């Protein structure tokens, strides 16, 4: 459908905007480098701290290298397939070549943002711990938060740089190529989310079950052979994985907004209203998302630098919240200025401030989502208190109460998202295409402050690692220990908040892409009729895919955690001197176990995400594929929120008890809460977050194949594609069962 769109050639204004956006991306990268230098300026003189930190760094880097080597061949194969598929769609060879190269750019940009953020995180953790020991609470907060901001600034820089380069290279046809960039980013995020999530939770579950429950030793006790692997997992899961996840959300919402802006020219109501000015105004709508992203660079930078706290506050969340509010307000002011100067209605010759409403609603959605997540997961709120109290009667009631909290939270989350979409639709009642564009703008607003959002997220694992390094180093300083305890607790809150934002963004992006799919599949007049049996079958299959995907992820954690538990038990059994501090555990063995387990599980989920929409599309047709997307978006969102919030409330209920509630550590209540937290770990850090990239990969694959699905292809060719898809999906299921616990112990 995009092939029918003819945009006017870029003029000096459009080129000026592109150069401004390009400059803002470079500013983001320069600011990221400045933050790197700021963090690395801090020297650490404690040899024991450096030793522990180096072990974490080596494990994290080794994992990312192995992950890249595992996924690169799959990526190259997809790049070649994309080229040949689109060669049959576009006669101009530049477009299929551009799509395949943009796909590779998206992969490297997503992976690169995650890699850079994690690289600094594993260097900042020891500096955070040492600063808490030698300086002040405020100085320690600055180090950890600004180190976390590096992943945010590189996400902004790489994302805008890639999109702007594509615009400059392909100009009026850029929206045809950008979808490849978004697909590459989403696929890389899927791999990094799944692999990192399996790694971090296998190590965490194994360490908790043997250390806390069986041996009754603290979480970061150096006698536990899984502690280094646990700390490595915080980085590969919550730093690299989350950065890649947010990066692809950042790109996909941008791609969706640009495609929908171009699609306004296919809407008769739009072209009738704006007449001969339609093409020029559509071009402004295409440029508008890029300008909004550039504004986010500067508002995030100011917000990040403003984060500080007074020593008497003793609550880093206050400074972090103030910084976010400042970023949000500056963003809205920036939006208004851009609309006043640039987005002038060609009919009235006045700024159309209606376009200020959707991105502002997106920012409001972020605030409400953060509030909901905080309510359902914060250790001081009623849900976590109830889950903590239920531990008095054992782990079963802990699990039941936590599941109830998670299930309820999904309702309010989806009501808020539905209200956001409804509000965005009401802004432009005269045009369906502008209404769809309005929804995409809410996603842009939600992620305007991406730099700040990722700073909040990465702050979590940095402070978690800092606390672990402090404990494993054997430093005895009560003041520093309390500082790191408090920062670690707030880090858990910020991680939960950003997970909620990531899920909300995934749904908004998916809905925006869904509208693009309707245009690509030429279903605007036909619609998606759920009364048709084939469409209903599509809905059923789409709704089932997130469950199968979650099964892959959770069973993988279970298998890997089983191996970790067995290994830690073996070391305690064969080296009795470990408990008496006379022998040192073999940390490297557990790191190797979880690294190998995570790599084994990478390909299956990727195959499921790519080939399930291909199977439905070529077997049942475009309408059924639309039903498939609707089912996947709905159940994916519900499952993601349920697992994230249930896991979060179990985690914080355990922490509440560890802080002294119901008797504190070592009690039966504490052991019951640890079991609940163990169940919740793969929920909140593996399967739940991985559903975000899954939803968008499915949408982008459907968008990419839509122009081919609607063609009158030979029956033999369609049958061949269906058979290949079935074989691939069979392999994915088989891979998910490889190395089952029963097989390991025959």
């Amino acid at each position: 459908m995009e092939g029918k769109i003819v945009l006017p050639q870029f003029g000096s204004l459009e080129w000026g905007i592109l150069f401004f956006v390009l400059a803002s991306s470079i500013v983001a990268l320069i600011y990221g480098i400045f933050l790197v230098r700021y963090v690395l300026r801090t020297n650490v003189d404690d040899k024991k701290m450096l030793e522990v930190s180096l072990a974490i760094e080596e494990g994290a880097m080794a994992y990312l290298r192995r992950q890249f080597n595992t996924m690169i061949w799959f990526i190259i194969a997809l790049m070649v397939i994309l080229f040949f598929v689109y060669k049959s769609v576009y006669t101009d060879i530049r477009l299929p070549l551009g799509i395949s190269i943009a796909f590779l750019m998206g992969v490297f940009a997503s992976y690169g943002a995650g890699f850079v953020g994690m690289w600094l995180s594993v260097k900042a953790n020891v500096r955070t711990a040492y600063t808490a020991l030698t300086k002040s609470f405020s100085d320690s907060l600055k180090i950890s938060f600004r180190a976390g901001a590096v992943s945010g600034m590189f996400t902004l820089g790489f994302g805008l740089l890639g999109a702007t380069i594509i615009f400059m290279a392909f100009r009026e046809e850029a929206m045809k190529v950008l979808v490849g960039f978004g697909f590459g980013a989403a696929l890389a995020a899927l791999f990094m989310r799944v692999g990192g999530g399996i790694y971090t939770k296998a190590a965490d579950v194994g360490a908790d079950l043997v250390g806390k429950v069986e041996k009754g030793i603290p979480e970061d006790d150096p006698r536990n052979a899984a502690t280094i692997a646990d700390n490595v997992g915080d980085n590969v899961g919550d730093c690299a994985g989350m950065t890649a996840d947010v990066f692809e959300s950042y790109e996909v919402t941008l791609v969706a907004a640009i495609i929908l802006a171009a699609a306004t020219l296919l809407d008769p109501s739009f072209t009738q209203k704006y007449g001969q000015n339609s093409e020029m105004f559509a071009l402004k709508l295409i440029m508008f998302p890029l300008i909004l992203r550039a504004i986010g660079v500067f508002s995030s930078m100011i917000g990040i630098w403003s984060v500080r706290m007074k020593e008497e506050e003793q609550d880093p969340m206050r400074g972090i919240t103030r910084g976010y509010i400042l970023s949000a307000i500056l963003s809205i002011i920036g939006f208004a200025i851009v609309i006043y100067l640039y987005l002038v209605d060609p009919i009235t010759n006045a700024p159309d401030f209606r376009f200020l409403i959707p991105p502002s609603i997106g920012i409001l959605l972020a605030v409400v989502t953060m509030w909901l997540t905080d309510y359902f997961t914060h250790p001081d709120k009623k849900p976590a208190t109830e889950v903590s109290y239920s531990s008095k009667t054992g782990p079963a009631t802990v699990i039941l109460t936590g599941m109830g909290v998670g299930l309820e939270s999904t309702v309010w989350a989806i009501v808020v998202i539905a209200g956001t979409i409804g509000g965005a639709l009401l802004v432009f009642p005269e045009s369906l295409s502008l209404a769809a564009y309005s929804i995409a703008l809410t996603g842009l607003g939600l992620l305007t402050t991406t730099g700040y959002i990722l700073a909040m997220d990465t702050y979590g694992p940095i402070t978690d690692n800092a606390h672990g390094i402090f404990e494993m180093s054997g430093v005895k300083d009560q003041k520093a220990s309390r500082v790191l305890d408090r920062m670690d607790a707030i880090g858990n809150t910020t991680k939960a908040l950003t997970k909620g934002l990531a899920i909300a963004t995934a749904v908004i992006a998916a809905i925006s892409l869904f509208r693009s799919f309707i245009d690509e599949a030429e279903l605007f007049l036909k619609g998606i009729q759920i009364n048709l049996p084939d469409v209903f079958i599509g809905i059923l299959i789409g709704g089932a895919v997130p469950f199968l995907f979650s099964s892959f992820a959770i069973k993988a954690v279970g298998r890997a955690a089983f191996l970790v538990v067995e290994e830690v038990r073996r070391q305690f059994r064969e080296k009795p001197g470990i408990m008496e501090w006379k022998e040192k555990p073999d940390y490297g063995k557990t790191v190797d176990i979880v690294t190998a387990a995570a790599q084994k599980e990478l390909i299956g989920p990727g195959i499921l995400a790519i080939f399930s929409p291909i199977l439905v599309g070529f077997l049942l047709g475009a309408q059924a594929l639309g039903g498939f997307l609707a089912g996947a978006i709905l159940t994916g969102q519900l499952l993601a929120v349920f697992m994230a919030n249930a896991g979060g409330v179990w985690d914080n209920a355990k922490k509440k008890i560890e802080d002294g509630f119901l008797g504190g550590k070592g009690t039966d209540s504490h052991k019951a809460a640890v079991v609940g937290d163990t169940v919740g770990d793969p929920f909140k850090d593996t399967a739940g977050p991985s559903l975000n990239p899954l939803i968008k990969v499915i949408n982008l694959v459907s968008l990419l194949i839509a122009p081919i699905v609607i063609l009158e292809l030979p029956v033999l060719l369609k049958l061949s594609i269906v058979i290949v898809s079935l074989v691939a999906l069979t392999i994915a299921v088989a891979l998910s069962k490889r190395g089952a616990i029963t097989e390991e112990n025959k």
Side-chain angles (χ1 to χ4, degrees):
M1 293 294 286
E2 291 159 354
K4 300 176 184 177
I5 299 172
V6 179
L7 292 175
Q9 291 190 349
F10 287 3
S12 58
L13 178 60
E14 286 71 36
W15 280 106
I17 290 170
L18 289 176
F19 278 111
F20 167 71
V21 176
L22 183 67
S24 69
S25 69
I26 294 170
V27 167
L29 295 174
I30 291 172
Y31 186 63
I33 294 169
F34 166 77
L35 291 174
V36 169
R37 291 173 64 86
Y38 172 85
V39 172
L40 296 183
R41 269 204 318 262
T42 301
N43 294 317
V44 179
D45 293 328
D46 189 300
K47 291 183 179 179
K48 185 62 178 176
M49 281 188 178
L50 287 171
E51 180 185 337
V52 176
S53 174
L54 183 61
I56 295 169
E57 181 178 349
E58 288 175 349
M61 291 302 174
Y63 171 78
L64 275 195
R65 283 193 296 270
R66 287 185 63 173
Q67 184 179 60
F68 183 80
N69 292 335
T70 300
M71 73 180 191
I72 189 62
W73 302 110
F74 192 61
I75 297 297
I76 291 172
L78 280 175
M79 179 183 173
V80 173
I81 291 170
L82 277 174
F83 172 75
F84 284 106
V85 166
Y86 271 85
K87 191 179 176 184
S88 63
V89 176
Y90 297 120
T91 55
D92 185 352
I93 194 68
R94 293 185 317 116
L95 292 178
L97 189 62
I99 290 170
S100 57
I101 292 174
F103 167 74
L104 195 62
M105 285 171 60
V107 170
F108 278 103
S110 184
Y111 184 85
F115 180 86
V116 171
M118 196 198 76
W119 170 79
L120 187 64
S121 294
V122 294
K123 293 183 179 298
N125 49 24
V126 67
R127 287 167 170 81
T128 299
Y130 190 71
T131 303
L133 180 65
T134 59
K135 295 184 181 179
S136 66
F137 199 158
S138 181
D139 289 327
S140 188
L141 172 65
K142 287 178 186 177
I143 288 284
S144 55
F145 196 81
R146 291 175 186 177
V150 170
S151 61
M153 299 318 297
F154 273 84
T155 293
L156 294 173
F158 286 157
L160 276 180
L161 189 64
T164 310
I165 288 172
I166 290 171
F167 256 96
M168 288 181 162
F170 291 92
R171 303 180 189 182
E172 297 82 15
E173 295 180 316
M175 63 272 189
K176 301 172 186 176
V177 178
L178 274 172
V179 68
F181 190 61
F183 179 42
L187 194 62
L190 183 69
F191 281 126
M192 294 180 76
R193 254 305 184 193
V194 173
I198 292 168
Y199 188 113
T200 184
K201 291 303 109 180
D204 194 3
V205 169
D208 282 357
L209 287 179
V210 182
K212 290 184 179 180
V213 177
E214 295 181 8
K215 295 295 183 180
I217 58 178
E219 183 170 353
D220 292 303
D221 195 301
R223 292 172 291 179
N224 191 327
T227 49
I228 293 293
D230 186 10
N231 282 287
V232 170
D234 290 333
N235 292 288
V236 300
D238 286 325
C239 289
M242 185 63 170
T243 300
D245 185 2
V246 173
F247 178 89
E248 57 96 12
S249 291
Y250 183 82
E251 283 310 313
V252 168
T253 51
L254 178 63
V255 169
I258 289 169
I259 291 174
L260 290 171
T264 56
L265 291 174
L266 300 174
D267 182 0
S269 63
F270 180 86
T271 53
Q272 287 172 11
K273 178 179 179 180
Y274 294 104
Q276 62 183 4
N277 296 309
S278 298
E279 293 178 0
M280 191 58 67
F281 194 60
L283 189 56
K284 283 191 173 186
L285 296 182
I286 289 171
M287 293 292 170
F288 185 54
L290 288 169
I291 304 172
L292 295 189
R293 287 290 189 234
I295 289 170
V297 169
F298 299 102
S299 63
S300 292
M301 286 170 57
I302 296 170
I304 289 163
W305 199 252
S306 73
V307 173
R308 59 195 74 242
M309 59 176 286
K310 300 173 184 176
E311 287 299 320
E312 62 270 17
E313 280 184 339
Q314 298 298 307
D315 185 2
M317 197 64 205
R318 291 186 180 180
I320 292 170
T321 302
R322 285 195 298 265
Y324 181 78
I325 292 171
L326 176 62
S327 276
I329 292 171
L330 290 175
S331 297
I332 294 173
I333 293 171
F335 299 161
I337 293 171
V338 169
I339 291 169
Y340 178 77
L341 296 175
Y342 177 66
L343 213 57
V344 176
D345 189 307
I347 297 173
T348 62
N349 288 319
D352 193 342
F353 281 106
R354 290 184 301 170
F355 288 96
L356 176 62
I357 299 173
S360 300
I361 289 176
I363 290 175
L364 179 62
L365 171 62
V367 172
V368 174
T369 300
M370 286 179 13
W371 179 83
L372 278 175
T373 305
D374 182 65
Y375 173 75
F376 282 107
T377 61
H378 196 284
D380 295 335
K381 298 294 193 298
K382 186 176 179 181
T385 302
E386 288 188 350
V387 175
S388 300
Y389 200 79
S390 70
S391 66
K392 293 182 70 174
T393 50
T397 45
V398 170
I399 292 169
L400 289 171
T401 309
M403 288 184 70
V405 170
L407 290 168
E408 181 190 352
S409 70
T410 62
V411 176
W412 308 121
I414 208 160
V415 165
V416 169
I417 291 172
T420 301
I421 295 167
L425 287 172
L426 291 175
V427 178
F428 299 100
E430 77 278 9
S431 170
L432 283 174
S433 60
L434 281 178
Y437 179 67
S438 176
I439 294 172
L441 289 181
T442 62
L444 287 170
L446 179 61
L447 282 180
T448 296
T449 56
T450 289
Y452 198 94
I453 290 168
L454 276 173
M456 286 198 299
D457 180 77
T458 311
Y459 162 84
I462 289 173
T463 53
D464 192 350
N465 269 202
H467 187 250
I469 290 169
F470 187 86
E471 294 293 326
M472 291 185 70
S473 302
V475 180
K476 302 299 181 184
D477 187 295
Q478 289 299 318
K479 181 182 177 183
S481 180
R482 284 195 298 272
V483 167
L484 291 171
D485 270 339
R486 188 60 184 164
M487 289 178 67
D488 186 11
I490 296 303
N492 285 318
T493 301
T494 60
K495 285 190 294 184
L497 296 179
T498 50
K499 284 186 179 73
L501 291 178
I503 294 166
T505 309
V507 177
I508 296 294
I511 292 167
S512 301
L513 289 169
F514 190 69
R515 166 63 195 226
S516 301
F517 167 79
I518 295 296
D519 289 336
E520 287 287 332
E522 299 183 0
L523 293 176
F524 186 75
L525 295 178
K526 295 180 184 176
I528 298 173
Q529 302 176 51
I530 62 171
N531 60 307
L532 299 177
D534 54 342
V535 176
F536 204 80
I537 291 170
I539 294 173
L540 295 176
I541 297 173
V545 165
F547 285 88
L548 183 59
F549 181 89
S550 300
S551 168
F552 285 3
I554 291 172
K555 287 196 295 184
V557 171
R559 288 193 294 269
F562 179 88
L563 297 175
V564 173
V565 168
E566 291 288 283
E567 174 59 25
V568 177
R569 283 174 175 170
R570 181 193 67 78
Q571 292 195 30
F572 277 125
R573 186 173 59 249
E574 296 179 5
K575 297 181 178 182
I578 290 176
M579 284 297 292
E580 300 171 4
W581 303 93
K582 294 178 181 178
E583 292 183 83
K584 188 176 180 180
D586 183 358
Y587 301 118
K589 182 65 175 176
T590 50
V591 170
D592 289 341
I593 286 171
V594 288
T595 299
Q599 299 311 308
K600 283 170 64 176
E601 308 292 344
L602 276 181
I603 302 300
I607 292 173
L608 177 64
I610 291 168
F611 283 96
S612 55
I614 292 174
L615 173 65
V616 172
F618 285 98
L619 180 64
L620 300 174
Q623 280 191 315
L625 182 56
F628 171 90
L629 286 178
I633 293 169
L634 177 61
T635 61
Q637 192 274 343
L638 292 172
L639 263 180
V641 175
F642 162 67
M643 289 194 283
N645 288 344
V649 77
W650 278 320
D651 188 0
N652 283 331
K654 175 205 69 175
K655 283 183 170 55
K656 188 177 183 72
I657 292 173
E658 289 178 344
D659 287 340
F661 189 63
L662 300 178
K665 295 180 182 179
T667 61
D668 288 340
S669 290
H670 180 234
K671 290 180 179 179
V674 169
V675 173
D677 178 42
T678 303
V679 173
D681 274 338
F683 274 37
K684 70 181 174 64
D685 289 324
T686 308
S690 297
L691 288 169
N692 304 335
L694 171 75
I695 291 171
K696 283 168 280 190
V697 168
I698 285 175
N699 272 267
L700 285 163
V701 170
S702 302
L703 189 59
L704 284 164
I705 67 171
I708 302 147
V709 167
I710 59 177
L711 297 176
E712 292 294 331
L713 297 176
V715 175
L716 187 60
L717 178 59
K718 277 192 174 183
L719 184 61
S720 301
I721 294 172
V722 168
I723 291 171
V724 169
S725 300
L726 282 171
V727 170
L729 291 169
T730 302
I731 291 171
V733 173
L735 288 174
S736 75
K737 299 181 183 301
R738 181 180 58 175
I741 292 174
T742 51
E743 294 175 6
E744 295 283 348
N745 290 274
K746 283 183 180 178

